[in-house]
Amino acid sequence: MKKILFGLICVMFLSFLLVNNELTTLKNERDVLIKQNEQLTLQVAELSNQTFSREEMFDIAAEVYRIDPVMLYAIARHETGNFTSRLFKEDNNPGGIKDFDSASGWASYDSEFEGIMEMARLIRRGYYNYGLDTPEEIGAKYCPDGTDWAGAIRRLMKEGK
């Protein structure tokens, strides 16, 4: 009986060590991600003070958020009517990004670059992080109503920037 009790205590102690080790690992990973996010925020702030072409802004945003730059550009072209929409011209909103706290219901950005960065961040967070990284996969979630959104994005991607 003492051996069984000792065995159970050993198993419980080892389990505690494993759980504690896993928690420490997760905390360390969280700290690394927080540090990377802080560095990224500083880099974006530095970039915001520079002048870039529209294409360069999309390339930078795509690189920062590790998404396809051609697809990002194509989605923005589609959502803004080739960058002619009022929302894009007046509010620097390249993706029809909503803001339910604003009177208009649409997000407004101080610069085109800021809007592009936010669009890329939202695509990363809402789609790429879930393994959805093609127009077809994104379209199935973004507009599941049967429209040919993915086909339109593919056509624009073939045209390039």
Side-chain angles (χ1 to χ4, degrees):
M1 185 69 170
K2 288 182 182 182
K3 288 183 180 182
I4 293 174
L5 185 58
F6 179 74
L8 285 174
I9 290 172
C10 287
V11 167
M12 288 175 42
F13 180 70
L14 289 174
S15 296
F16 170 77
L17 290 177
L18 288 172
V19 168
N20 192 39
N21 186 39
E22 184 65 25
L23 289 174
T24 301
T25 300
L26 289 172
K27 182 185 178 305
N28 290 340
E29 288 174 2
R30 184 200 68 188
D31 291 345
V32 167
L33 288 173
I34 289 170
K35 184 70 171 174
Q36 288 174 341
N37 188 43
E38 289 169 355
Q39 291 170 344
L40 180 60
T41 301
L42 290 173
Q43 289 172 344
V44 169
E46 290 172 15
L47 289 172
S48 294
N49 294 325
Q50 298 180 30
T51 303
F52 298 102
S53 71
R54 180 173 292 151
E55 290 79 9
E56 288 172 325
M57 288 187 266
F58 278 96
D59 287 341
I60 291 166
E63 184 176 334
V64 166
Y65 289 103
R66 298 176 331 276
I67 63 176
D68 182 345
V70 176
M71 184 170 62
L72 177 64
Y73 191 82
I75 292 170
R77 278 187 64 197
H78 179 73
E79 296 297 328
T80 63
N82 203 28
F83 304 107
T84 62
S85 71
R86 183 209 61 78
L87 193 58
F88 179 72
K89 287 181 173 182
E90 295 177 15
D91 295 318
N92 297 308
N93 186 330
I97 301 166
K98 297 196 181 241
D99 178 359
F100 297 106
D101 292 331
S102 78
S104 70
W106 301 103
S108 180
Y109 301 97
D110 292 333
S111 69
E112 190 173 320
F113 186 61
E114 184 183 337
I116 292 168
M117 290 298 290
E118 179 63 5
M119 179 184 177
R121 186 185 74 78
L122 291 172
I123 289 172
R124 161 54 65 189
R125 191 181 84 198
Y127 302 98
Y128 271 65
N129 284 354
Y130 296 98
L132 309 175
D133 59 5
T134 68
E136 293 75 20
E137 293 167 336
I138 291 171
K141 179 179 176 184
Y142 175 66
C143 55
D145 61 0
T147 61
D148 191 24
W149 183 89
I153 300 305
R154 284 277 179 206
R155 286 187 290 281
L156 290 170
M157 287 174 72
K158 284 181 184 174
E159 292 177 17
K161 295 185 215 166

